[in-house]
Amino acid sequence: MIVVNAIELETLIHQLFEKAGASDVVASTVARVLVEGDLLGHHTHGVKLAQGYLKDIRAGHAKVDAQRLEVVKQSPVCTLYDADYLLGPYVVSQALDATTHAARQYGVGVANIRRSHHIACLAAYLQPVTEQGLVPIVLSSDPAVASVAPYGGLDPVYTPNPLAIGIPNEGEPILIDVSMSTITNGLVNRTRQEGGQLQHEALLDNQGQPSRNPEDFFTNPPGSILPLGGLEFGHKGFALGIMVEALTSGLGGFGRKDGVSQWGAAVYVMTLDPEFFGGLAAFKAEMNHFVERCQNSRPRIQGQSVRMPGHAGLARRRRYLEEGIPLPTDVLDAVRAAAQEGGLSSPF
Amino acid sequence: MIVVNAIELETLIHQLFEKAGASDVVASTVARVLVEGDLLGHHTHGVKLAQGYLKDIRAGHAKVDAQRLEVVKQSPVCTLYDADYLLGPYVVSQALDATTHAARQYGVGVANIRRSHHIACLAAYLQPVTEQGLVPIVLSSDPAVASVAPYGGLDPVYTPNPLAIGIPNEGEPILIDVSMSTITNGLVNRTRQEGGQLQHEALLDNQGQPSRNPEDFFTNPPGSILPLGGLEFGHKGFALGIMVEALTSGLGGFGRKDGVSQWGAAVYVMTLDPEFFGGLAAFKAEMNHFVERCQNSRPRIQGQSVRMPGHAGLARRRRYLEEGIPLPTDVLDAVRAAAQEGGLSSPF
């Protein structure tokens, strides 16, 4: 682990994407979103991803030209994009700008993105929108990947299908970013690399036996990740995964049926403006009251009081901005390799 | 258990609400939605509720006059209603009509309802909208009730906060109606009445011990229901519960902070029109492909193939419409009591 300065890290990532052909606005957006992932503590979905993105650019699988983002269909409140695998952080940021603009005029804006490249850490997009007093929602699935089994089945069909929502509050905003499966592909991969066992039986092996062993996921035929709710209540996580599938690939009309094999994402983006409903002040007052009641709930384990989603990440973010980001070894290795492959010397 | 004809049942419920002062349109909507709940097999949220609704009408806690539904704020796509505790099935149906109209013109419509009376079975609202090729979403919380504990806490703060979405498909639509908690208040109540134990440890007693005993929920201080995900992954169910809380009570600006004590609901309603995105045909083709892949996933338990949400309910519905609805004894007792209290003789 090495502690790195957030601005220096962002500068390096920016330079790497510019050197790979991205314009200033694309490179700066990607660098900002990736570093934001690490600032919030999501190191599997931060700058570690840069190496893979840059490889995909060199292979022609990821695009860097902002012009690739095509508006396929548009109403005053809804936009359908085709991104031709343009880098996801730029694509999602553009969609959030469009839905924010629509929300300010109509109360809500919705965008759907076909064929985005990977979109990194969903939580990283939220705070710039909640700071404007708006409620952003981002859903994502990857039609090229099947890792989660439908409830009752044991062959994987879909992805963890994360859902993120930012909730303005009188105090800190609530930043939610959760998958509709018990665990993510990233955690399975990392646990396997570390040679460990998962904390819970979140996998099924390819014969349907619950397992904590990440190796059971990589067999042939493959194992699978259990939907949120597991063996007991997994019908609910499965249902929520279907919801994300419908609003991303379904609404975009492009997904698994099209035999996609390329790393990427189908994305649903929505922004709501509370001023068109009960007003921002009442919204914040209601959420603040809710947060207080949650925090006043006696802790189940002595000394471990209730934490609101995102608050630990925001505290970490403040600390990391001041003191630097403690990057895990695997992340640092990936950044150094990306720098070397990109012909830059890493300052870390 | 007695098998009753759906039309006769709907007629009786309609008459009861008309006799209680509801206009024809309010009474018929309430009757249709309640019977629809039983047709789909959700007997805790079907006609059994009529007795409580009618009691609340007599006590002045539920309103029957359609004029009570006030539009507080409106844009071409968003509507904020205050329902003054008008019967929920009528209120939600009106909101769905408004959002459907907006979705046809702009691609999306959103409504938020403050102070609705109880809204019954969320799944019951979906099929009339999916049959129009649209995607309805309904979220609900009850600010007067606290039964679910925040993750890490043991004092209950909020409600199961269900989420429903209807997904058009080439074959049967997918009808999702799931709570963001492991189980619902209704199941805890029913299990207690039956004197049984819950199937899983979905409760915490008031000292934080996991429990299958419904009596542990009714102590003083009370026990609580675990969020979806339970002790292992309950931070995700908690996050999703907060999302529902934010889009219902938060967006409406009215909820727990206002010290509500009356049976009712804060509701979020949204309708999306796929034609403003990738088109309905592509939407259905994508979802159909997804359903096929799920159904082709080998079953975990031999002979129990993967079921899509809502399909068992829709099969039940077809059978019940032909052969009659087999009403459980507790439902029948409640209907008979409601008829007697309303001065009508029950034909069942």
Side-chain angles (χ1 to χ4, degrees):
Chain A
M1 197 194 73
I2 287 191
V3 176
V4 305
N5 177 281
I7 294 169
E8 287 178 29
L9 183 61
E10 192 171 323
T11 303
L12 175 66
I13 302 295
H14 184 151
Q15 287 170 340
L16 279 168
F17 280 95
E18 275 206 321
K19 205 141 187 290
S23 63
D24 184 61
V25 61
V26 172
S28 68
T29 306
V30 172
R32 183 177 50 72
V33 170
L34 290 182
V35 172
E36 185 70 22
D38 289 294
L39 282 170
L40 294 169
H42 302 293
H43 297 301
T44 55
H45 283 68
V47 294
K48 187 183 180 179
L49 293 163
Q51 190 186 15
Y53 290 5
L54 291 160
K55 269 187 187 154
D56 260 15
I57 293 171
R58 287 193 293 271
H61 294 152
K63 309 294 166 53
V64 294
D65 177 3
Q67 304 299 321
R68 296 282 184 166
L69 185 62
E70 181 199 347
V71 172
V72 179
K73 218 176 272 182
Q74 195 160 37
S75 85
V77 268
C78 295
T79 310
L80 173 65
Y81 295 100
D82 185 306
D84 193 19
Y85 296 97
L86 176 57
L87 293 166
Y90 175 76
V91 170
V92 172
S93 299
Q94 289 295 110
L96 273 168
D97 284 353
T99 58
T100 292
H101 183 76
R104 287 258 182 249
Q105 291 188 289
Y106 290 91
V108 63
V110 178
N112 184 290
I113 309 161
R114 287 177 183 169
R115 303 200 306 151
S116 173
H117 195 261
H118 188 258
I119 69 168
C121 173
L122 271 62
Y125 299 101
L126 304 177
Q127 210 188 357
V129 185
T130 59
E131 277 174 354
Q132 300 173 57
L134 302 171
V135 181
I137 294 176
V138 182
L139 314 179
S140 166
S141 68
D142 182 351
V145 177
S147 53
V148 181
Y151 185 67
L154 52 85
D155 292 312
V157 170
Y158 64 107
T159 33
N161 288 10
L163 175 159
I165 174 171
I167 299 172
N169 188 16
E170 288 177 0
E172 301 239 71
I174 300 169
L175 306 182
I176 287 169
D177 177 359
V178 290
S179 67
M180 300 302 110
S181 52
T182 46
I183 57 173
T184 59
N185 300 339
L187 183 62
V188 181
N189 286 318
R190 205 179 58 196
T191 307
R192 185 198 199 191
Q193 277 162 17
E194 295 169 357
Q197 298 280 303
L198 294 161
Q199 209 182 339
H200 306 292
E201 288 187 333
L203 300 177
L204 289 182
D205 70 18
N206 67 14
Q207 296 305 307
Q209 290 304 311
S211 168
R212 291 175 53 217
N213 183 356
E215 297 297 341
D216 284 334
F217 181 74
F218 295 94
T219 51
N220 183 13
S224 64
I225 298 173
L226 281 167
L228 175 61
L231 292 178
E232 298 177 345
F233 299 107
H235 60 290
K236 298 193 182 193
F238 177 39
L240 294 167
I242 298 172
M243 173 183 74
V244 173
E245 199 74 14
L247 296 179
T248 56
S249 294
L251 208 57
F254 184 87
R256 298 179 197 282
K257 73 168 163 35
D258 303 288
V260 183
S261 62
Q262 195 170 325
W263 194 27
V267 191
Y268 174 89
V269 174
M270 177 161 87
T271 302
L272 289 159
D273 184 350
E275 290 298 349
F276 282 76
F277 299 92
L280 181 61
F283 182 100
K284 285 182 170 180
E286 181 62 30
M287 294 320 296
N288 210 55
H289 177 83
F290 181 77
V291 170
E292 279 178 7
R293 282 181 62 169
C294 287
Q295 289 174 337
N296 287 336
S297 178
R298 287 171 297 151
R300 195 173 72 80
I301 295 167
Q302 205 59 33
Q304 296 187 14
S305 57
V306 171
R307 290 195 317 197
M308 301 308 291
H311 284 191
L314 288 168
R316 211 177 275 129
R317 185 179 193 276
R318 277 191 301 275
R319 200 167 67 243
Y320 290 176
L321 280 174
E322 281 200 6
E323 303 171 5
I325 309 174
L327 283 189
T329 312
D330 62 319
V331 177
L332 206 63
D333 289 347
V335 170
R336 286 173 178 156
Q340 194 180 21
E341 289 157 12
L344 288 177
S345 62
S346 168
F348 313 116
Chain B
M1 197 194 74
I2 287 189
V3 177
V4 305
N5 177 280
I7 294 169
E8 287 179 30
L9 183 60
E10 191 171 323
T11 303
L12 173 67
I13 302 296
H14 184 150
Q15 287 171 340
L16 280 168
F17 281 94
E18 275 207 319
K19 206 140 185 292
S23 63
D24 183 60
V25 61
V26 172
S28 67
T29 305
V30 173
R32 183 178 49 72
V33 170
L34 290 181
V35 172
E36 186 69 23
D38 289 294
L39 283 170
L40 294 169
H42 302 292
H43 298 302
T44 54
H45 282 69
V47 294
K48 186 181 181 182
L49 292 164
Q51 189 186 16
Y53 290 6
L54 291 161
K55 269 188 188 154
D56 260 16
I57 293 171
R58 286 192 294 273
H61 294 152
K63 309 294 166 54
V64 294
D65 178 3
Q67 305 299 323
R68 295 284 183 164
L69 185 62
E70 181 199 347
V71 172
V72 179
K73 218 175 273 184
Q74 194 159 39
S75 85
V77 269
C78 295
T79 311
L80 173 65
Y81 295 100
D82 185 307
D84 192 20
Y85 295 97
L86 176 56
L87 294 166
Y90 176 76
V91 170
V92 173
S93 299
Q94 290 295 111
L96 272 168
D97 283 353
T99 58
T100 293
H101 183 75
R104 287 262 182 247
Q105 292 188 288
Y106 290 91
V108 63
V110 178
N112 183 290
I113 309 161
R114 285 177 185 170
R115 303 201 305 150
S116 173
H117 195 260
H118 187 259
I119 69 168
C121 173
L122 271 62
Y125 298 101
L126 304 177
Q127 210 188 356
V129 185
T130 59
E131 277 173 355
Q132 300 173 57
L134 303 171
V135 180
I137 294 176
V138 182
L139 314 179
S140 166
S141 70
D142 182 352
V145 177
S147 53
V148 180
Y151 185 67
L154 53 84
D155 291 311
V157 171
Y158 64 108
T159 32
N161 287 10
L163 174 158
I165 173 171
I167 299 172
N169 187 16
E170 290 178 358
E172 301 239 69
I174 300 169
L175 305 182
I176 288 168
D177 177 358
V178 289
S179 68
M180 300 303 109
S181 52
T182 46
I183 56 173
T184 59
N185 298 340
L187 183 62
V188 181
N189 285 317
R190 205 180 57 196
T191 307
R192 184 198 200 192
Q193 276 162 18
E194 295 168 358
Q197 297 280 304
L198 295 162
Q199 209 181 338
H200 306 290
E201 287 187 334
L203 300 177
L204 289 181
D205 70 18
N206 67 16
Q207 296 304 308
Q209 290 304 309
S211 168
R212 291 175 54 216
N213 183 357
E215 296 298 340
D216 284 334
F217 180 75
F218 296 93
T219 51
N220 183 12
S224 63
I225 298 173
L226 281 166
L228 175 61
L231 291 178
E232 299 177 346
F233 299 107
H235 60 289
K236 298 193 183 195
F238 178 39
L240 294 167
I242 297 172
M243 172 183 75
V244 173
E245 199 75 14
L247 296 180
T248 56
S249 294
L251 207 56
F254 184 87
R256 298 180 197 282
K257 74 168 161 36
D258 303 287
V260 183
S261 61
Q262 195 170 325
W263 193 26
V267 191
Y268 174 89
V269 174
M270 177 162 86
T271 302
L272 289 159
D273 185 349
E275 291 298 351
F276 283 76
F277 299 92
L280 181 60
F283 182 99
K284 286 183 171 181
E286 180 62 29
M287 295 319 296
N288 211 54
H289 176 84
F290 180 78
V291 170
E292 279 178 6
R293 282 182 62 170
C294 288
Q295 290 174 336
N296 288 336
S297 177
R298 287 171 297 151
R300 196 172 72 80
I301 296 168
Q302 204 60 36
Q304 295 188 15
S305 56
V306 171
R307 289 193 321 195
M308 302 307 291
H311 285 190
L314 288 168
R316 211 177 275 129
R317 184 179 194 276
R318 278 192 300 275
R319 200 167 67 243
Y320 290 176
L321 280 174
E322 280 200 7
E323 303 171 1
I325 309 174
L327 284 188
T329 312
D330 62 319
V331 177
L332 205 63
D333 288 348
V335 170
R336 285 172 177 155
Q340 195 181 20
E341 289 157 12
L344 287 178
S345 62
S346 167
F348 313 115

